[in-house]
Amino acid sequence: MTDTWRHLPAPARPIAATATAAVAAVRAKDTTALDDAVTALAGLDPAQSGLVLGTAVRLLLEDGHPDGLTADDVRATLASCVRSWPEQADPQVVLWLLAGALGVLDEDGTPPPKPDALARNAAVLLADLLSGRPLAPWWTATLAEIERAQLND
C-alpha cells in the first residue's frame, strides 16, 4: 500500500491498492502481475470488495452513458471488455459483474463465480471502462457514492 490511499477509509485501502495493481497489470498485459493482484484481491472481504468494485463499475458506466444505459450499451460494454483481453476475460463472469453493478442480478440459486474469477474479470472490466484514464479519482467518487447511499438508507 502506498501513501496515495491515506485519504480513503481504512477498509477501502487494500481494495483500492490491489484493484489498482490488477488494473495496471491488465493495461500492461502482465499475466504474472495480474495473477498476484487477483490472489490478493480475492483474499479480501468479498462483501466489501464487491461493493467497492461494483460501485466503481456502475459509476464508470454512468459516466460513459450520461443519458442512460440501454441493453445495446451493456452488450457493447461486454463485447469491448472481452475483446480487450480475451485470454483473461470470461464473458459469463463479466456479464455477472455488469448485472450486479447495475442492480439487476437475478440470483436464481446459481452459485456466483469464484472470488478469483470475479477479481480477474473486475480488473479487466475496470481497465476497459477506464479507457486509459487514471483509476485513483474513481476510488474517491466510489467511496463518496457508497457513503451517500448508506446515509440515505
Side-chain angles (χ1 to χ4, degrees), residues 18 21-26 28-39 85 120:
T18 55
V23 168
V26 169
K29 300 284 193 244
D30 183 339
T31 306
T32 302
L34 180 60
D35 290 345
D36 292 344
V38 162
T39 298
W85 200 0
R120 179 175 310 281

Side-chain angles (χ1 to χ4, degrees), residues 35-98:
D35 290 345
D36 292 344
V38 162
T39 298
L41 191 56
L44 298 174
D45 179 288
Q48 287 181 345
S49 58
L51 175 62
V52 172
L53 296 173
T55 302
V57 166
R58 183 178 55 78
L59 290 176
L60 284 161
L61 287 168
E62 289 173 355
D63 182 68
H65 302 89
D67 294 330
L69 199 64
T70 67
D72 287 339
D73 296 330
V74 173
R75 273 192 288 277
T77 300
L78 173 64
S80 175
C81 176
V82 172
R83 270 189 257 119
S84 72
W85 200 0
E87 299 83 17
Q88 296 297 323
D90 179 333
Q92 289 298 113
V93 178
V94 174
L95 183 58
W96 196 92
L97 290 166
L98 288 168

Side-chain angles (χ1 to χ4, degrees), residues 88-140:
Q88 296 297 323
D90 179 333
Q92 289 298 113
V93 178
V94 174
L95 183 58
W96 196 92
L97 290 166
L98 288 168
L102 295 170
V104 296
L105 183 62
D106 183 18
E107 297 185 69
D108 58 357
T110 305
K114 294 184 180 188
D116 62 326
L118 289 171
R120 179 175 310 281
N121 285 276
V124 176
L125 180 57
L126 283 169
D128 189 59
L129 288 171
L130 286 163
S131 300
R133 295 177 290 177
L135 180 54
W138 291 97
W139 292 139
T140 303

